[in-house]
Structure formats: C-alpha cells, structure tokens
Amino acid sequence: MMDSPDYNTIFAFKTKQLAIMIIKEFSKLPPNEAFSVIRKQIFRSSTSMAANYRAMCRARSKAERFSKISIVIEETDETLFWLEMLEELEYIQKEIIADIKTKTEEILKVTSSYRKMLKN
C-alpha cells in the first residue's frame, strides 16, 4: 500500500499542500491575541506532520518508519484539535474549516491504517 514510491511521493505532496493551505488561509486573518496562539500552534503541528511524513518515506528501517508515522499521526491529530478549537471559537469561516478538517481527517485515517499494518 504505502511502500510504493509513487504513493509516498503523492502523499508527501498532500501533507505538504495541507500545511501550505493552513498557513495561507490563517495568515490572511487579522491579528488577535487568542487566535495568534492557536495560529502558531497549528502552523507548527501541520508543518511537523508534513516534514515527518517526508522523513518517514526515507526511513532506514521498519522501526524508524513506525516511529516517524507515529509522530505524523500525533501531529495530524494535534492539527485536527486546533481546527476544532478554531471551529468552536468561530474564528474561521465554516466552509474553510470544513474543507481543511476533511483533508486532515483523511491523512489521519490513512496514516493510522498504515501504522496498524506496520505493527503486524
């Protein structure tokens, strides 16, 4: 499933594009002290998700791959947490949040499935 170089390249691109989308969308918004804290956190978690997926693609062993994919899952889940916070605080338009959340949930599902496969 994920061992195909083409799939890894495509999925690495997807994770990076999601991080870029988050940065672009949330950079447009005016400064607000509470939002600035969340914006910093979601920028960090989404870029870490993308960077660690890329690192996972270059893992030297199954153990290293498992470790990196676990970090991807953790950072993706944190990104989803911050999206939920933004949604509940109503800082961002619902349509924008819905689209980004859908993409984030897809990444979380796929990477969680892959980790289960690696565990077996």
Side-chain angles (χ1 to χ4, degrees):
M1 178 182 156
M2 288 181 103
D3 290 330
S4 162
D6 291 337
Y7 183 85
N8 280 331
T9 301
I10 291 166
F11 211 74
F13 179 78
K14 276 184 153 189
T15 59
K16 186 166 105 178
Q17 286 307 112
L18 177 60
I20 289 168
M21 176 190 259
I22 287 170
I23 292 167
K24 283 183 174 180
E25 284 299 328
F26 300 162
S27 291
K28 295 176 190 174
L29 299 164
N32 165 315
E33 189 175 344
F35 179 66
S36 292
V37 171
I38 295 171
R39 180 173 20 213
K40 182 179 178 184
Q41 291 292 96
I42 199 167
F43 285 1
R44 188 202 56 74
S45 65
S46 63
T47 56
S48 179
M49 167 199 64
N52 278 289
Y53 187 84
R54 184 174 172 153
M56 188 277 309
C57 294
R58 290 164 173 61
R60 296 167 294 214
S61 67
K62 188 176 177 181
E64 186 178 353
R65 184 173 289 248
F66 186 86
S67 175
K68 290 295 180 186
I69 201 70
S70 295
I71 295 168
V72 172
I73 291 165
E74 182 179 329
E75 296 295 342
T76 306
D77 189 54
E78 183 177 336
T79 300
L80 194 54
F81 170 80
W82 293 119
L83 289 168
E84 290 167 0
M85 291 286 289
L86 290 168
E87 183 176 49
E88 290 176 31
L89 290 167
E90 300 177 347
Y91 282 146
I92 312 287
Q93 290 178 334
K94 288 182 182 189
E95 300 78 24
I96 293 170
I97 288 285
D99 182 43
I100 296 172
K101 272 182 69 178
T102 299
K103 288 175 169 59
T104 305
E105 288 166 346
E106 174 192 335
I107 290 168
L108 188 57
K109 287 176 188 171
V110 171
T111 54
S112 294
S113 294
Y114 184 54
R115 182 171 67 177
K116 285 179 188 171
M117 188 178 80
L118 282 175
K119 202 173 199 176
N120 298 334

